[in-house]
């Protein structure tokens, strides 16, 4: 692999896994990160670093110079954080994406892969969620992800610039930061159980998610760079199952060897009730198939958090 890749948000959770996979495949990799939600400890040796913000157009222009593929992961990725502070997340998620699209188009980048989100579906009447369903964002974050995705599709239609939106479904795995109230639920549960503290569940715990181990997402994103019919598309990348938070906690208690009950708090505003992906389109267009299921992914993830605690 001799192509060059820009990973925005490459010091973040998903971005750092992409960087690692690209370096292992022999690609040239540049990271753009402002370290607002990313961490220096996630940087991988061998990747070039530009410290800066996608919300600045000149930074984006510098970052895309000489790049073949842009994997745009930089975002402020939290539903409740966007409810609490919609302006800050809009600037990162919408202004940042538009800047990067303009810069990448102008620089002659081959294709840009956008980190889309399952949150754009909102509460759909039926499950699993298919890409041809009408989006129904319930939070600023979900709306911002939809706008970014639509901008990408528009750049394809208007300027012939190739973009693909990969809609992630509750990605988890090593290096996901558990350190904020906005962190992903599996990172929160894992660190609570390992510290022998009761985890928190918002709502009754019967909400469901299609939790996706990060290696599956890396695979889907890298396939999207070269899949022939992917440009202009939004594509779910997930496992295709769903589990309630109560059942998830039970399984994680078993893996960790604890029997901790949750403390139940009010449902978060903007929260989606059920989430499960139809992954037919990913199979057809990307040749994607999930390789790590939930149980295996949880084992690997808990093993990693153990090394951290
Ligand atoms: C949402 C999006 C996802 C996006 C992510 C970014 C949906 C279906 N998914 O994930 O695409 O990438 O935001 O952050 O909209 N919870 C607890 N206890 C905790 C933490 C969370 O009970 O300590 C609950 C939440 O209220 C929610 C579920 O667990 O019901 C999952 O929460 P979280 O991991 O934050 O992800 P989503 O909000 O589902």
């Amino acid at each position: 692999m001799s192509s060059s890749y820009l990973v925005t948000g490459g010091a973040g959770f998903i971005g750092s896994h992409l960087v690692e996979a690209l370096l292992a495949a022999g690609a040239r990799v540049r990271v753009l990160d402002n370290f607002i939600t990313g961490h220096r400890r996630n940087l991988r040796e061998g990747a070039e670093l530009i410290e800066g913000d996608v919300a600045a157009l000149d930074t984006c222009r510098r970052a895309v110079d000489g790049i073949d593929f842009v994997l745009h992961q930089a975002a402020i990725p939290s539903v409740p954080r966007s409810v609490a502070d919609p302006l800050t997340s809009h600037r990162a998620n919408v202004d940042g994406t538009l800047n990067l699209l303009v810069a990448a188009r102008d620089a002659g980048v081959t294709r840009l892969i956008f980190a889309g989100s399952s949150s754009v579906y909102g509460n759909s009447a039926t499950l699993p969620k298919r890409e041809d369903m009408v989006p129904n964002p319930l939070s600023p974050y979900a709306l911002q992800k939809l706008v970014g995705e639509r901008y990408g599709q528009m750049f394809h239609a208007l300027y012939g610039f190739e973009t693909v939106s990969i809609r992630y479904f509750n990605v988890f795995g090593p290096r996901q930061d558990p350190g904020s109230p906005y962190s992903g639920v599996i990172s929160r549960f894992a660190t609570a159980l390992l510290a022998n503290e009761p985890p928190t569940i918002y709502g009754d715990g019967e909400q469901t998610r299609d939790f996706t181990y990060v290696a599956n997402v890396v695979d889907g994103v890298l396939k999207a760079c070269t899949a022939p019919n992917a440009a202009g598309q939004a594509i779910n990348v997930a496992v295709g199952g769903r589990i309630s938070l109560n059942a998830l906690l039970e399984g994680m208690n078993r893996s960790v060897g604890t029997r901790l009950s949750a403390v139940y708090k009010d449902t978060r505003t903007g929260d989606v009730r059920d989430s499960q992906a139809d992954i037919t389109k990913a199979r057809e267009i990307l040749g994607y198939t999930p390789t790590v299921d939930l149980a295996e992914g949880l084992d690997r993830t808990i093993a990693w958090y153990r090394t951290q605690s």
Side-chain angles (χ1 to χ4, degrees), residues 9-10 17 35 41 43 53 58 84 98 102 143 150 180 210-211 232 254 261 280 287 299 302-303:
H17 282 276
F35 299 101
R41 62 174 182 267
L43 292 172
D53 200 319
D58 56 334
L98 182 57
V102 168
L143 179 60
R150 286 285 170 84
S180 117
D210 188 345
F211 291 104
R254 229 176 304 128
S261 303
T280 309
D299 283 347
I302 289 167

Side-chain angles (χ1 to χ4, degrees), residues 25-108:
R28 272 173 293 136
V29 184
R30 183 180 293 155
V31 166
L32 173 62
D33 209 295
N34 62 2
F35 299 101
I36 298 280
T37 60
H39 297 285
R40 284 178 205 279
R41 62 174 182 267
N42 290 339
L43 292 172
R44 290 293 170 264
E45 203 165 324
E48 180 195 348
L49 172 67
I50 295 183
E51 189 168 344
D53 200 319
V54 285
L57 178 60
D58 56 334
T59 304
C60 291
R61 291 204 191 279
R62 219 159 29 96
V64 297
D65 185 44
I67 291 292
D68 299 312
F69 298 98
V70 174
L71 312 183
H72 178 33
Q73 312 301 306
I76 296 192
S78 162
V79 168
R81 190 164 175 171
S82 78
V83 172
D85 181 5
L87 276 174
T88 302
S89 64
H90 183 99
R91 188 164 167 272
N93 299 345
V94 177
D95 296 351
T97 298
L98 182 57
N99 283 334
L100 196 66
L101 282 165
V102 168
R105 177 204 61 186
D106 291 353

Side-chain angles (χ1 to χ4, degrees), residues 233-253:
Q233 300 292 329
I235 305 173
N236 296 339
V237 164
V239 176
R242 71 190 173 101
I243 184 172
S244 72
L245 292 189
N246 290 325
L248 171 73
L249 180 58
E250 202 182 301
M252 290 182 70
N253 259 315

Side-chain angles (χ1 to χ4, degrees), residues 24-290:
R28 272 173 293 136
V29 184
R30 183 180 293 155
V31 166
L32 173 62
D33 209 295
N34 62 2
F35 299 101
I36 298 280
T37 60
H39 297 285
R40 284 178 205 279
R41 62 174 182 267
N42 290 339
L43 292 172
R44 290 293 170 264
E45 203 165 324
E48 180 195 348
L49 172 67
I50 295 183
E51 189 168 344
D53 200 319
V54 285
L57 178 60
D58 56 334
T59 304
C60 291
R61 291 204 191 279
R62 219 159 29 96
V64 297
D65 185 44
I67 291 292
D68 299 312
F69 298 98
V70 174
L71 312 183
H72 178 33
Q73 312 301 306
I76 296 192
S78 162
V79 168
R81 190 164 175 171
S82 78
V83 172
D85 181 5
L87 276 174
T88 302
S89 64
H90 183 99
R91 188 164 167 272
N93 299 345
V94 177
D95 296 351
T97 298
L98 182 57
N99 283 334
L100 196 66
L101 282 165
V102 168
R105 177 204 61 186
D106 291 353
V109 164
T110 304
R111 193 178 272 188
L112 178 146
I113 315 299
F114 176 68
S117 171
S118 59
S119 62
V120 301
Y121 291 107
N123 288 322
S124 60
T126 57
L127 294 171
K129 303 187 183 196
R130 292 171 44 94
E131 295 87 344
D132 54 11
M133 287 175 168
V134 177
N136 179 26
L138 302 180
S139 62
Y141 172 76
L143 179 60
Q144 291 154 12
K145 282 290 172 182
L146 182 61
V147 171
E149 177 178 293
R150 286 285 170 84
Y151 260 127
Q153 292 174 326
M154 192 172 280
F155 269 57
H156 182 236
L158 291 179
Y159 312 116
F161 176 56
E162 294 200 353
T163 66
V164 187
S165 175
I166 299 298
R167 290 182 176 172
Y168 299 161
F169 281 68
N170 292 81
V171 187
F172 72 97
R175 299 205 285 275
Q176 189 170 29
D177 180 5
S180 117
Y182 302 130
S183 300
V185 66
I186 289 180
S187 71
R188 304 278 297 166
F189 280 8
T191 45
L193 297 184
L194 289 166
N196 212 29
E197 286 164 6
T200 302
I201 287 185
Y202 299 106
D204 64 3
E206 288 304 303
Q207 65 266 50
T208 60
R209 293 291 186 270
D210 188 345
F211 291 104
T212 307
Y213 186 69
V214 64
N216 296 318
V217 168
V218 167
D219 192 38
V221 169
L222 297 186
K223 286 187 157 82
C225 291
T226 50
N229 300 313
Q233 300 292 329
I235 305 173
N236 296 339
V237 164
V239 176
R242 71 190 173 101
I243 184 172
S244 72
L245 292 189
N246 290 325
L248 171 73
L249 180 58
E250 202 182 301
M252 290 182 70
N253 259 315
R254 229 176 304 128
S255 306
V256 175
T258 44
R259 296 180 66 180
L260 288 155
S261 303
V263 174
Y264 289 84
K265 296 195 177 157
D266 288 347
T267 302
R268 287 171 164 178
T269 41
D271 206 46
V272 167
R273 185 66 183 173
D274 296 301
S275 183
Q276 179 182 20
D278 184 320
I279 55 172
T280 309
K281 192 172 176 182
R283 288 188 195 280
E284 288 174 359
I285 294 187
L286 305 179
Y288 161 85
T289 185

